[in-house]
Amino acid sequence: QVQLAESGGGSVQAGGSLRLSCASSGYSFSIYSMGWFRQAPGKAREGVAAIDTDGRTHYADSVKGRFTISRENSENTLYLQMNSLKPEDTAMYYCARHGSYGFRWTYLRSGDAGYWGQGTQVTVSS
């Protein structure tokens, strides 16, 4: 079955960096767009970044220039490099697979996700 497992979360001070990883299994990783989403307490889940099968990337305005999404198809792994972290980046971060293979994830809609990981907590202190 499809499994997504995030790792790499933690607590950092503002201005610091973290690298999240998402190990995938149970499907053909390379033919699906993948994404990172986050949810802060009391807020709706929001799209952070996505990467399509051809490597095209999409970012939320709030993270452009600070976060970088990437994928390693040979290892079935998705990454999110987060630099210049801010307290408002504090949230549970989720890895997700698009529900349909070959589709782009241009608008970072959580409703387009087919599968979710369990999440990894990121806490940024000021």
Side-chain angles (χ1 to χ4, degrees):
Q1 70 276 25
V2 175
Q3 291 188 324
L4 303 173
E6 302 95 336
S7 61
S11 297
V12 296
Q13 290 192 326
S17 298
L18 284 173
R19 189 192 195 202
L20 305 184
S21 299
C22 173
S24 303
S25 62
Y27 68 101
S28 297
F29 179 78
S30 65
I31 67 172
Y32 286 90
S33 293
M34 299 293 296
W36 287 100
F37 292 75
R38 65 187 182 187
Q39 188 167 20
K43 294 189 177 181
R45 189 169 296 190
E46 64 174 351
V48 174
I51 184 166
D52 299 331
T53 56
D54 61 0
R56 182 176 296 185
T57 57
H58 314 281
Y59 295 95
D61 288 342
S62 60
V63 306
K64 281 180 181 176
R66 300 188 298 121
F67 290 10
T68 302
I69 189 171
S70 61
R71 63 191 299 161
E72 180 53 67
N73 289 339
S74 66
E75 297 179 355
N76 294 339
T77 302
L78 179 72
Y79 300 99
L80 184 68
Q81 178 66 43
M82 305 186 295
N83 298 329
S84 302
L85 282 161
K86 304 175 181 180
E88 51 263 45
D89 294 319
T90 295
M92 184 72 78
Y93 282 71
Y94 297 91
C95 167
R97 194 204 81 176
H98 199 285
S100 301
Y101 73 87
F103 277 60
R104 295 191 182 280
W105 218 332
T106 306
Y107 302 108
L108 302 175
R109 290 187 293 240
S110 61
D112 289 333
Y115 292 90
W116 296 92
Q118 292 299 306
T120 186
Q121 178 68 37
V122 172
T123 302
V124 185
S125 58
S126 58

